[in-house]
Amino acid sequence: MPEKVHTRFDDSGDESAKPSTVSESIPVQNTGRKKNRSKKRKRDEPADQLQPPKADRENELHQRENSVTAAAAPIPAPEAKPAIEKVPSSSTATQPPKSKARPKPKPLVDHKTNFTSLREKANTLYEMRKKLPIFGHADEIRQNLRDHDVMLLVGETGSGKSTQIPQFLVNEFWCRPTPAKITKADGKEKSEMVGGCIAITQPRRVAAITLARRVAEEMGTPLGSSSPASKVGYSVRFDTSTSPSTRVKFLTEGMLLQEMLHDPWLTRYSAVVVDEVHERGVNVDLVVGFLRNLVSGKREGRGGIPLKVAVMSATADMESLLGFFQEGFKHPMRSQQAITNGEAEQDGQGTKEISVCHIKGRQFPVKTIYSPEPVHDFVDAALKVIYQIHYKEPMPGDILVFLTGQETVEVLEHLVNEYAVGMDPALPRIQVLPLFAALPQAAQQRVFAPAPPRTRKVVLATNIAETSVTVSGVRYVVDCGKAKVKQFRTRLGLDSLLVKPISKSAAIQRKGRAGREAPGQCFRLYTEKDYLTLDETTTPEILRCDLSQALLNMKARGVDDIVRFPFLTRPPREALEKALLQLLSIQALEETGGISETGLRIAKLPLTPTLGRVLLAAAENDANCLMDVIDIISCLSVENIFLNTNSEEKKEAAETARRDLYRREGDHLTMLATVRAYAAENADRKAWAERHLVSHRAMQSVMDVRKQLRTQCRQAQLLPRDEGHGQLSDPSPILILQSFLTGFAANTARLVPDGSYRTVVGNQTVAIHPSSVLFSKKVEAIMYNEFVFTNRTYARGVSAVQMDWVGEALAGS
DNA sequence: GAGCACTGC
């Protein structure tokens, strides 16, 4: 380990800049890079969302299963005028939210909503809205969508697009519900109202909820289901809050896809605003593809009433989107009829239907400082830059460091703290705060608290800080230029998780985090030459993932010819074929390629096709088997339910505490035992989870999924209608594992004489992941849910199976 | 002997 700090960071473009070597001033101890796991802090609970901590989480526990979100309901004021609208009693949205158990239950219903104070608040906010960069473009934007059906909008960060666009549009004439005659599938014409509502999609749940809350405030209306008069609502999984008067609805992309399964023409919407397209998750690609078909089609399902589409992105890469929509109008699905009506494009480019709008952001300048020479160890380099900043740059000004994963974060955390010990006491102090998704909620919250006096915060983050989390106070960004990327390898059916260079747009995004509140600086731990070789944009997820779920989605919406679907980025033919074969092997498709009855049922489940298939297979056994399989599938569709045990004592304790949960059959029956034990605990589930080193947070998600799946199974008549709180029967491991083999026959491996496992299909070496209860155990054959490459190929979610079951399952598919 | 980030009636 070098004792001196040689890396020098100069201001770019200024070769004569004074050397900023910090070796003289930093008391560098020879710490080296200890990978001492026992020094790792205990991580109690993996977190999933960064939301303000809920004080009443504990009380809420038993209400969770039936609760409707209403926590944000305005506190009713007695003098307020009641504003009750007549609403159809059949609407589920009108049901008053059940109040959560609180010390003093407050009425959460609308009757006495204080509309006067809501209005006052909105008036105050109006002054702030007027200062947003987008505000001056309101008329232009309205005109654009009057003249065109599609608008592409580049709005840099801080432009205010997500909150303002829906408000600009909601009172437009085309945004009113309009009576229309719709020809139904049976050929009959029916009169229905079309439109009236604006949907705004978001990639993340938190964003959808916080934006809805904000827009409700700005519009001076109560939020979602808190009042039947509420004009703004949201819809995310497990949490939908809308009212009969909802005009503006924020929802996740997945939720819109789900709505399209039932209403492919989106008849309740006059407009769909697709926000944050540049993030390019699979779902947004599907949404945009379906929307293109909708706007360029004949609109017969909407009685001819147009759907307005606004696609918004923070990056300037609009050419591909423009080309994408133009292509749709060039080969319009509306064909004959529209052309005779004179509606088709006039210049052959489809520009009549598409407008483009560019809004500047509100961002302070950020100076970029490159490493003068290539960096081999970015953790050491980051350490030096952190102290260089701390010694040279004035306070206040927190530092945000982008690293690749939990391990690099923890190593650097340790190093920074070690160096801080020998630091000049006259200098401000340093507070190191790690930030990654698996960090317990409470620890994540610490990054939002302002630093104590005379202290500089140093936040060490994974790319959770690139999009999901905004840390205030940051003026310096340190970017290692890398990120862990998940890539599905079609040919091997293998997911790999590897450290890769980021794209230019990701680098720009990271840099931007320094200029949110004041001018800032971004230290890139790579050379300018390296920067120039980076890809322009991050590879869209659709090119990096298993496509079976996306394809099943499309098939379920009647897209028969996948090859002709308008992909924003077309996946390679091989990947599409592989996914189709995969769907065929689980009987989700007919031999002809059309969706099967089984496939339709699977598509409606919030599960991957394979897990959906397993659920149906279990249902063919009996209700007990199905209930057990639901419990296991619920665990498989959330993050790891078992906490990592880093310290030695904890590890011992965990082994003992979990002994009664472990099952020799493998991880699946262990998960079942855990869910059963957790669900049976009626006194204090949180304490139970802590005792067993099980993540309480993950278990809450498990219970949410379990409830959702049970409900759907009852609706599909796979489970009896009545809850039937009878005695639990002993699980039948053989039936359960055979159900799983129906979906995972190809994910099996057998023990070979040298003691390793080889996949049954493909004969590849695979090791049991250390997190498995079967780790280092030898059984005849294993079945696994995931096949992942990190340092080597691992099987995760593993159970022991018999080779003859595998043979049967493979033959049956 | 190990866990980038999101998401779903």
Side-chain angles (χ1 to χ4, degrees), chain A residues 598 601-602 605 611-621 626 718:
Chain A
T598 303
R601 302 185 106 171
I602 295 174
L605 295 166
L611 284 176
R613 184 65 189 89
V614 171
L615 188 143
L616 295 185
E620 285 160 26
N621 285 322
L626 178 54
L718 300 173

Side-chain angles (χ1 to χ4, degrees), chain A residues 503-745:
Chain A
S503 66
K504 280 188 191 131
S505 65
I508 293 165
Q509 178 80 17
R510 289 179 172 188
K511 170 183 159 180
R513 297 275 141 168
R516 300 297 286 249
E517 292 158 18
Q521 295 180 45
C522 174
F523 296 80
R524 290 184 169 152
L525 304 180
Y526 41 96
T527 62
E528 186 163 15
K529 204 175 135 217
D530 286 337
Y531 172 78
L532 293 170
T533 64
L534 296 178
D535 291 342
E536 290 299 321
T537 54
T538 310
T539 311
E541 196 189 1
I542 202 158
L543 298 185
R544 294 187 284 115
C545 73
D546 174 15
L547 294 169
S548 55
Q549 197 166 8
L551 293 201
L552 187 64
N553 249 309
M554 291 163 50
K555 290 277 181 182
R557 278 175 192 77
V559 179
D560 293 321
D561 189 357
I562 299 292
V563 177
R564 279 177 47 202
F565 183 79
F567 285 105
L568 198 44
T569 305
R570 182 168 299 278
R573 193 181 187 92
E574 191 190 0
L576 292 168
E577 280 168 2
K578 192 83 178 192
L580 287 172
L581 284 176
Q582 150 87 350
L583 291 172
L584 198 63
S585 80
I586 58 165
Q587 299 97 33
L589 298 183
E590 310 279 6
E591 292 292 333
T592 56
I595 191 160
S596 67
E597 200 54 46
T598 303
L600 266 176
R601 302 185 106 171
I602 295 174
K604 287 179 182 160
L605 295 166
L607 297 170
T608 59
T610 22
L611 284 176
R613 184 65 189 89
V614 171
L615 188 143
L616 295 185
E620 285 160 26
N621 285 322
D622 59 53
N624 286 328
C625 181
L626 178 54
M627 292 287 267
D628 290 339
V629 165
I630 286 175
D631 286 0
I632 299 166
I633 288 177
S634 304
C635 292
L636 291 172
S637 49
V638 308
E639 57 190 296
N640 197 2
I641 60 168
F642 292 109
L643 293 170
N644 306 320
T645 48
N646 290 323
S647 80
E648 302 302 323
E649 326 87 76
K650 278 286 166 193
K651 200 166 167 177
E652 291 288 317
E655 295 301 318
T656 324
R658 288 183 191 158
R659 194 151 296 150
D660 53 332
L661 301 175
Y662 284 167
R663 294 290 177 274
R664 62 184 159 76
E665 292 93 343
D667 296 329
H668 299 89
L669 282 129
T670 300
M671 288 171 190
L672 175 61
T674 309
V675 177
R676 281 187 168 201
Y678 180 86
E681 172 66 42
N682 287 317
D684 189 344
R685 287 181 176 175
K686 191 172 184 197
W688 182 93
E690 273 165 16
R691 271 203 309 284
H692 290 82
L693 283 157
V694 162
S695 163
H696 184 231
R697 172 166 282 277
M699 288 310 291
Q700 288 180 309
S701 313
V702 168
M703 299 308 270
D704 282 335
V705 180
R706 182 170 95 137
K707 188 196 162 215
Q708 188 183 29
L709 291 176
R710 284 183 173 187
T711 306
Q712 282 184 265
C713 284
R714 266 184 227 114
Q715 282 164 355
Q717 300 185 333
L718 300 173
L719 279 176
R721 282 266 156 197
D722 53 88
E723 187 82 39
H725 278 300
Q727 282 296 83
L728 283 175
S729 60
D730 280 339
S732 166
I734 296 178
L735 285 185
I736 291 170
L737 293 177
Q738 285 178 340
S739 303
F740 270 93
L741 276 173
T742 315
F744 291 91

Side-chain angles (χ1 to χ4, degrees), chain A residues 350-554:
Chain A
T351 37
K352 177 179 175 287
E353 289 88 350
I354 308 169
S355 66
V356 182
C357 190
H358 195 295
I359 315 287
K360 282 274 169 220
R362 199 164 56 185
Q363 178 80 353
F364 293 93
V366 179
K367 188 152 89 180
T368 309
I369 299 138
Y370 289 98
S371 167
E373 59 219 32
V375 164
H376 298 293
D377 184 340
F378 63 74
V379 173
D380 271 356
L383 176 69
K384 287 154 194 166
V385 174
I386 289 166
Y387 276 96
Q388 178 184 319
I389 296 167
H390 189 55
Y391 275 65
K392 281 180 60 185
E393 303 295 341
M395 296 283 284
D398 295 334
I399 305 173
L400 173 62
V401 188
F402 284 100
L403 297 162
T404 52
Q406 182 177 343
E407 186 179 342
T408 48
V409 165
E410 287 177 340
V411 169
L412 185 57
E413 177 186 9
H414 182 71
L415 288 175
V416 175
N417 280 329
E418 223 165 327
Y419 276 67
V421 174
M423 202 168 65
D424 183 353
L427 281 166
R429 293 158 57 87
I430 275 195
Q431 181 187 33
V432 190
L433 298 165
L435 180 65
F436 45 87
L439 199 67
Q441 184 89 345
Q444 287 194 2
Q445 292 296 330
R446 290 172 61 212
V447 309
F448 300 112
R454 283 196 72 253
T455 305
R456 198 193 293 273
K457 271 200 303 192
V458 178
V459 178
L460 310 179
T462 61
N463 48 10
I464 190 174
E466 209 175 284
T467 48
S468 314
V469 172
T470 307
V471 187
S472 61
V474 172
R475 306 229 174 134
Y476 308 98
V477 161
V478 181
D479 171 19
C480 77
K482 301 217 154 44
K484 271 192 195 169
V485 185
K486 200 168 187 172
Q487 170 99 40
F488 182 71
R489 300 198 206 166
T490 306
R491 217 164 290 173
L492 305 170
L494 174 85
D495 255 328
S496 60
L497 188 57
L498 300 172
V499 175
K500 292 260 175 74
I502 59 172
S503 66
K504 280 188 191 131
S505 65
I508 293 165
Q509 178 80 17
R510 289 179 172 188
K511 170 183 159 180
R513 297 275 141 168
R516 300 297 286 249
E517 292 158 18
Q521 295 180 45
C522 174
F523 296 80
R524 290 184 169 152
L525 304 180
Y526 41 96
T527 62
E528 186 163 15
K529 204 175 135 217
D530 286 337
Y531 172 78
L532 293 170
T533 64
L534 296 178
D535 291 342
E536 290 299 321
T537 54
T538 310
T539 311
E541 196 189 1
I542 202 158
L543 298 185
R544 294 187 284 115
C545 73
D546 174 15
L547 294 169
S548 55
Q549 197 166 8
L551 293 201
L552 187 64
N553 249 309
M554 291 163 50

Side-chain angles (χ1 to χ4, degrees), chain A residues 81-298:
Chain A
K81 268 177 89 178
I84 303 165
E85 293 188 3
K86 272 269 178 273
V87 288
S89 58
S90 61
S91 169
T92 50
T94 63
Q95 288 175 9
K98 287 176 189 159
S99 73
K100 295 169 181 176
R102 286 157 190 270
K104 278 184 201 163
K106 293 167 193 156
L108 294 173
V109 222
D110 62 289
H111 307 294
K112 285 176 262 173
T113 301
N114 190 338
F115 286 93
T116 316
S117 72
L118 286 177
R119 180 47 53 201
E120 279 164 11
K121 180 82 192 281
N123 287 340
T124 323
L125 291 173
Y126 187 70
E127 295 307 311
M128 294 166 74
R129 291 175 57 199
K130 283 199 290 195
K131 292 180 192 141
L132 288 168
I134 202 166
F135 207 79
H137 294 76
D139 289 335
E140 176 195 338
I141 287 164
R142 278 191 278 259
Q143 196 59 48
N144 274 343
L145 276 173
R146 281 176 204 161
D147 297 346
H148 313 273
D149 285 350
V150 179
M151 176 177 70
L152 308 180
L153 188 140
V154 185
E156 295 168 7
T157 25
S159 63
K161 60 180 176 348
S162 313
T163 53
Q164 303 310 304
I165 296 283
Q167 297 184 72
F168 293 164
L169 303 180
V170 72
N171 292 321
E172 288 290 281
F173 66 89
W174 51 259
C175 203
R176 285 194 289 260
T178 312
K181 286 201 166 45
I182 297 169
T183 314
K184 292 284 168 186
D186 56 13
K188 283 182 188 151
E189 212 173 61
K190 223 180 135 191
S191 230
E192 268 180 37
M193 295 302 262
V194 170
C197 195
I198 299 179
I200 307 98
T201 69
Q202 291 294 323
R204 280 170 294 280
R205 295 161 49 104
V206 228
I209 297 170
T210 48
L211 284 169
R213 186 165 291 149
R214 174 72 186 190
V215 171
E217 277 180 5
E218 291 186 2
M219 286 174 64
T221 171
L223 176 66
S225 56
S226 65
S227 158
S230 157
K231 290 191 166 27
V232 181
Y234 63 88
S235 178
V236 302
R237 191 183 186 186
F238 308 126
D239 189 0
T240 290
S241 185
T242 55
S243 86
S245 328
T246 299
R247 307 280 323 278
V248 173
K249 181 160 140 193
F250 288 87
L251 30 58
T252 49
E253 292 150 1
M255 218 55 175
L256 186 71
L257 286 174
Q258 208 60 49
E259 283 191 11
M260 290 182 88
L261 207 53
H262 298 275
D263 179 13
W265 295 95
L266 293 170
T267 50
R268 47 187 302 190
Y269 299 105
S270 292
V272 177
V273 180
V274 188
D275 202 2
E276 315 281 12
V277 240
H278 59 278
E279 293 193 21
R280 295 296 304 277
V282 192
N283 286 347
V284 90
D285 281 27
L286 293 186
V287 163
V288 165
F290 288 125
L291 288 177
R292 191 186 98 173
N293 280 347
L294 256 172
V295 292
S296 59
K298 271 192 289 183

